[in-house]
Amino acid sequence: MKNQLDEPGGTTRVGGRGGLTAAEVAERVAAGQVNDVPARSSRSVGEIVRSNLFTRINAIIGVLFVIVMIVGPVQDGLFGGVILANTLIGIIQEVRAKRTLDQLAIVGESRPRVWRDGRQVELSASDIVIDDTIDLGQGDKIVVDGTVTSGDNLEVDESLLTGEADPVVKQPGTR
């Protein structure tokens, strides 16, 4: 079963079984005809710090802390440590979760099999270019929008796109 990327303009070019040559791939990369979709599994560390530091409860406790420090004894302002502890705990937990999510994104990354220079190679999804011929097997993720050039009994789960629970049968020439 093969899937082929569409050319700009909506037409599809049918390539040979040998796939693209290295020169054709370089030409498409130079033209920006790549499948580069930035993957972002979680927020940045700066966003995590900002969201944990600038909260309503921290603002309320911070204002009360300043008032107590101005008018009262220092030991009455020890509750200000709650702001610091709460913020640090939230940041540490969320940064750990971010690292775990980023590692899981790498582990779960799809590595499609593409025909290049007459042989099949495994690439990351971002290294695929227009007109690449992709071999699909049972359970493989389709990482591009394209036209089926050949296949037997190909059923595609499009539920994330359409909401339909039933698999869609694809024949050569269908998208």
Side-chain angles (χ1 to χ4, degrees), residues 38-110:
R40 186 167 176 202
S41 62
S42 60
R43 298 188 294 176
S44 70
V45 175
E47 290 171 334
I48 292 171
V49 170
R50 201 171 18 260
S51 70
N52 279 284
L53 187 59
F54 299 115
T55 64
R56 287 186 184 149
I57 191 71
N58 282 358
I60 292 168
I61 294 175
V63 168
L64 292 174
F65 176 73
V66 170
I67 292 170
V68 167
M69 292 307 289
I70 291 172
V71 297
V74 176
Q75 59 269 27
D76 287 345
L78 291 177
F79 70 89
V82 171
I83 296 173
L84 184 62
N86 184 41
T87 302
L88 286 176
I89 290 170
I91 290 170
I92 290 169
Q93 286 180 333
E94 204 163 337
V95 167
R96 283 183 182 170
K98 174 194 173 11
R99 286 187 189 142
T100 302
L101 284 174
D102 290 344
Q103 290 170 350
L104 286 173
I106 292 169
V107 169
E109 181 183 22
S110 178

Side-chain angles (χ1 to χ4, degrees), residues 142-156:
I142 300 175
V143 296
V144 297
D145 182 24
T147 303
V148 177
T149 57
S150 68
D152 296 320
N153 300 322
L154 176 62
E155 290 183 337
V156 177

Side-chain angles (χ1 to χ4, degrees), residues 8-31:
T11 60
T12 302
R13 190 175 115 186
V14 178
R17 181 148 174 91
L20 298 175
T21 65
E24 290 172 324
V25 171
E27 182 181 299
R28 284 163 176 76
V29 169

